[in-house]
Every structure is written in structure tokens, then in C-alpha cells.
């Protein structure tokens, strides 16, 4: 599920549209529910909390504070939901990917996804068609 969320977000144009973000959010929510179930199901639950988690928690707290003091509350709330979701992904990944095989699978899938994105960008740069990935979305420069 982690790999699905990490690959789905960039492929779905950065998950900026509400539909793709809801899909990524559903995958992350399912990941979180499964992790919480596993955490509660084991006889000795343990929460792995590295020092970097304090930085992520501070950033999520700062984003929440900025949401509450923002002039445009609706947009700030949307951004806070994104930051909180990414913080949750960090916590779930840190607690579940402790074996080197799992880390290697995530790293390889991210490298393959990044390489595919770079090849797609090169195709778009050298191709006369000005749509993004053939979907029909025009780049900002041509709007």
C-alpha cells in the first residue's frame, strides 16, 4: 500500500485534483487503519519514534497554527489536511519499514517512478503535442 500511495500521487499530477487526492487519502487511511490494527493486535505494541518525528510533529503543529490564523480559511484548511496526511504517511512508513527488503522495494519503486517521470518530461519537451501525457491538460505557459 505504501508503494501504491507513493506511485499514485505523482502519476496523478501530484494529487492536486480533489479526486486523485481523495484516492491517495483513502490509500493512506487504509494503511493507517491496518497499521493501527497491527499495533493493537500484537501483544507488546511499540511505537518507533525517531528524532526526525519531532520535527515532523512540529511542522504539522505549525501548519495547524497557520491554518487557524490564515486569512483564507478554506485554502489553509486544505493545505493543513495535506500536511497532516503527509505526516501520517511518515509515521506509518517509519514504523512499518524496518527491514532492509521493504526499504529496498520502496526505494526501487521510487527510482522507477522518478525515471518514468523524467522520461515523460523529455517526451513532452521534444514532442510537438503540447498536452501533458496525452490527457489534454495544457501547460500553464500555453494557457
Amino acid at each position: 500500500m505504501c508503494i501504491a500511495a507513493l506511485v499514485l500521487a505523482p502519476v496523478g499530477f501530484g494529487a492536486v485534483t480533489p479526486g486523485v487526492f481523495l484516492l491517495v487519502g483513502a490509500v493512506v487511511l487504509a494503511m493507517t487503519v491496518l497499521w493501527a490494527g497491527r499495533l493493537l493486535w500484537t501483544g507488546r505494541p511499540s511505537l518507533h519514534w525517531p528524532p526526525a518525528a519531532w520535527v515532523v510533529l512540529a511542522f504539522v503543529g505549525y501548519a495547524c497554527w497557520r491554518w487557524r490564523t490564515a486569512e483564507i480559511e478554506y485554502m489553509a484548511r486544505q493545505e493543513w489536511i495535506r500536511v497532516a496526511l503527509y505526516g501520517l504517511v511518515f509515521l506509518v512508513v517509519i514504523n512499518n519499514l524496518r527491514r532492509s527488503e521493504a526499504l529496498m522495494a520502496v526505494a526501487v519503486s521510487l527510482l522507477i517512478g522518478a525515471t518514468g517521470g523524467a522520461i515523460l518530461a523529455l517526451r513532452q519537451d521534444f514532442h510537438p503535442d503540447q498536452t501533458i501525457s496525452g490527457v489534454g491538460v495544457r501547460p500553464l505557459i500555453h494557457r
Side-chain angles (χ1 to χ4, degrees):
M1 277 192 189
C2 174
I3 293 173
L6 290 175
V7 170
L8 182 64
V11 169
F13 299 113
V16 294
T17 59
V20 177
F21 182 72
L22 283 175
L23 187 61
V24 171
V27 170
V28 171
L29 184 64
M31 249 179 14
T32 306
V33 167
L34 288 174
W35 170 63
R38 193 188 82 174
L39 191 66
L40 295 174
W41 188 264
T42 59
R44 216 180 59 188
S46 66
L47 179 67
H48 183 62
W49 193 267
W54 290 108
V55 177
V56 171
L57 181 67
F59 186 73
V60 171
Y62 174 72
C64 183
W65 175 72
R66 291 297 298 165
W67 161 46
R68 304 304 291 168
T69 61
E71 293 178 10
I72 305 173
E73 192 266 340
Y74 176 73
M75 293 299 291
R77 182 172 10 113
Q78 284 183 336
E79 292 300 319
W80 180 78
I81 289 171
R82 287 184 185 277
V83 169
L85 187 76
Y86 300 147
L88 191 60
V89 167
F90 174 80
L91 187 62
V92 170
V93 167
I94 281 296
N95 277 286
N96 285 320
L97 298 180
R98 295 185 187 175
R99 296 188 320 260
S100 63
E101 297 88 16
L103 287 173
M104 186 62 75
V106 169
V108 166
S109 67
L110 285 175
L111 283 173
I112 290 171
T115 304
I119 290 170
L120 205 67
L122 285 173
R123 180 211 164 268
Q124 180 183 348
D125 194 34
F126 293 120
H127 199 269
D129 186 21
Q130 290 299 315
T131 59
I132 297 176
S133 304
V135 175
V137 179
R138 299 193 96 31
L140 278 176
I141 196 166
H142 296 290
R143 288 186 188 173

